[in-house]
Amino acid sequence: MASKLLNIIVPGLLIAATGVGAGDLATAAFAGGNLGIAILWAVVLGGLFKFALTEGIARWQLVNGDSFIDGLAKQLGLPFIWIFLIYLVLWSFFVGSALISASGVAMHSLIPIFEPQNGKIIFGILLSLVGLALVRFGNFALFEKVMGISIGIMFFVVVLTALLLWPGMGPFLNGLFIPSIPNLEGNGLTWTVALVGGVGGTLTIFSYGYWIREKQRISASDISVCRIDLLVGYSVTVIFGMAMVIIGSTVPVDGKGTGLILNLANGLENELGTTGRWLFLFGAFFAIFSSLLGVWQAVPYLFADVVRHIKPQINSEDLQNLSQTLSYKGFQIALAIIPMLSLWISFKEVQKLYAIVGTLFMPFLALALLYFNNRTGMKANKSGWFINTLLLITLIFFSYIAWQKFIG
């Protein structure tokens, strides 16, 4: 019974592990440090948004037998696929850069045998190659086991840390069930919006469609299983995010990205002693490394899927065999190696362009799912009112962010 349940929820847990990286840890901690636990409700809202988007992607695939990339190609044409390819390459480079750098810093914090900058470079390169070897030469079962161990460690350590810093049931329930935004006149809205948007990753949600293929979920009858699976996965993500808000609200927050994680660990030493500091660093490392593994394994699926439409004569295999294609293998190697350049080089202007494109992508995805999953061809498997409502709110929310950030 336990093994059957685990088999059901594995893809959702993979989404949870992949969607939590250094940036998500930092955003939740910063939001908690600036606004306290009054914004715990925002973590839940962000989880609901990503649940609706991922459920919509899975629904389309299970009903039509196609990936969502196939749907975009058929409905929007090849020009859009080229645009998506450009976005995918940019996203992959900068996310890969962040994960390699963060993994290197996190490992150096555990094994400080080099100068910090050299430690980031040496350990970052080493962990990227270790991750590549695990996902390239191991099978999907090994990937599941390594990710399962990683998410188990990161979840236990971070939640335990939050419990040791527990603010009390009253403040916790107020922050969870009574929506409010402290310091609304100042930066309260900015941090709340960042927290909602940062829960559960962005492009990594596409990975779910390929992972359920690995689990032989191929028909509309599997939609209900996927809902259970995603409910568990995003529940883990939400609990993890709330734990980081609690930690950030208790310990002084300073720094950027992984530097913030190190500063948090040092702050925890004052609250929980040396053991608390090392436990948190251990959990943070596995949170970051599991995200790296997930991206290294799953994002090449997206690239290979796109190539199926741009160069069908090169990559004509069906979805089940994408991981065996040259485009998958080549992109996987490139993803693990090319972003290493960022360990020495800065690309500030390109990063700004990437941020703009990334922000604009989420409302487009919500709009596409509202259109695709409510067409007559979906028949009895159209999205229900609850998912449609969440998608509509997601569309409005991320459109507002894009307007305020880049147009307004």
Side-chain angles (χ1 to χ4, degrees):
M1 182 66 180
S3 60
K4 183 178 180 180
L5 176 61
L6 184 61
N7 188 59
I8 290 174
I9 65 175
V10 159
L13 292 178
L14 293 178
I15 279 286
T18 303
V20 176
D24 306 273
L25 291 171
T27 298
F30 261 132
N34 281 272
L35 306 178
I37 63 171
I39 54 167
L40 288 175
W41 60 270
V43 181
V44 179
L45 185 62
L48 285 172
F49 286 170
K50 298 302 171 62
F51 172 86
L53 291 170
T54 313
E55 193 267 3
I57 291 171
R59 178 181 294 273
W60 167 269
Q61 179 171 308
L62 292 173
V63 173
N64 294 279
D66 297 329
S67 70
F68 195 67
I69 296 298
D70 289 327
L72 292 174
K74 292 175 182 177
Q75 300 298 323
L76 303 178
L78 193 57
F80 174 81
I81 295 299
W82 275 106
I83 294 171
F84 183 80
L85 176 62
I86 294 171
Y87 168 74
L88 174 62
V89 170
L90 285 173
W91 183 93
S92 299
F93 179 82
F94 290 108
V95 169
S97 300
L99 288 170
I100 292 173
S101 177
S103 297
V105 175
M107 176 62 83
H108 180 262
S109 69
L110 292 171
I111 311 175
I113 58 176
F114 304 105
E115 290 294 322
Q117 181 63 20
N118 292 335
K120 180 185 78 170
I121 294 172
I122 294 170
F123 283 127
I125 292 173
L126 176 64
L127 289 169
S128 180
L129 295 177
V130 168
L132 175 63
L134 281 171
V135 298
R136 180 65 262 151
F137 301 111
N139 55 23
F140 189 73
L142 176 63
F143 171 67
E144 287 180 319
K145 289 177 182 177
V146 174
M147 290 289 278
I149 293 170
S150 297
I151 193 173
I153 292 172
M154 78 176 195
F155 185 77
F156 172 78
V157 169
V158 172
V159 171
L160 175 62
T161 303
L163 290 174
L164 292 172
L165 300 172
W166 187 245
M169 187 58 70
F172 174 79
L173 293 176
N174 286 338
L176 189 59
F177 295 110
I178 304 177
S180 66
I181 303 177
N183 194 24
L184 189 57
E185 298 291 323
N187 62 1
L189 182 60
T190 300
W191 279 115
T192 303
V193 166
L195 183 59
V196 174
V199 173
T202 53
L203 204 62
T204 53
I205 65 177
F206 277 97
S207 307
Y208 186 75
Y210 306 105
W211 285 331
I212 60 176
R213 278 272 174 175
E214 295 281 359
K215 306 301 288 185
Q216 301 301 312
R217 298 181 197 172
I218 56 175
S219 69
S221 62
D222 293 314
I223 292 175
S224 58
V225 175
C226 287
R227 282 179 174 171
I228 297 170
D229 177 22
L230 289 171
L231 182 62
V232 172
Y234 281 111
S235 294
V236 169
T237 302
V238 166
I239 293 171
F240 189 90
M242 289 193 297
M244 284 304 302
V245 170
I246 292 172
I247 293 169
S249 69
T250 307
V251 179
V253 179
D254 189 24
K256 293 182 179 179
T258 314
L260 175 139
I261 302 302
L262 296 176
N263 291 337
L264 267 178
N266 292 332
L268 283 169
E269 189 167 12
N270 297 327
E271 298 287 335
L272 304 175
T274 303
T275 301
R277 177 183 185 275
W278 283 102
L279 273 176
F280 181 78
L281 286 175
F282 197 61
F285 168 77
F286 277 98
I288 296 166
F289 186 63
S290 64
S291 185
L292 180 145
L293 277 180
V295 170
W296 272 211
Q297 197 273 347
V299 172
Y301 278 125
L302 265 177
F303 181 80
D305 207 353
V306 169
V307 170
R308 290 170 66 227
H309 299 281
I310 294 176
K311 296 285 186 180
Q313 71 276 17
I314 294 177
N315 185 4
S316 59
E317 290 85 349
D318 61 23
L319 288 176
Q320 196 67 34
N321 298 312
L322 282 182
S323 63
Q324 303 306 312
T325 61
L326 182 62
S327 52
Y328 177 95
K329 295 175 181 178
F331 193 76
Q332 191 172 63
I333 294 171
L335 180 60
I337 293 176
I338 294 177
M340 291 178 186
L341 294 171
S342 67
L343 294 170
W344 293 276
I345 303 172
S346 174
F347 296 97
K348 291 182 180 179
E349 291 304 314
V350 182
Q351 283 179 317
K352 182 179 179 181
L353 175 61
Y354 158 74
I356 293 173
V357 175
T359 301
L360 294 175
F361 178 74
M362 300 309 290
F364 166 79
L365 178 58
L367 181 62
L369 288 169
L370 280 168
Y371 174 64
F372 286 2
N373 289 351
N374 287 284
R375 301 181 69 199
T376 54
M378 296 292 286
K379 299 180 181 178
N381 296 298
K382 292 181 180 180
S383 293
W385 68 268
F386 179 69
I387 294 295
N388 282 332
T389 300
L390 285 177
L391 288 173
L392 183 59
I393 297 173
T394 303
L395 171 62
I396 295 170
F397 176 81
F398 284 103
S399 296
Y400 171 78
I401 294 176
W403 178 269
Q404 291 294 316
K405 198 167 185 178
F406 306 115
I407 302 174

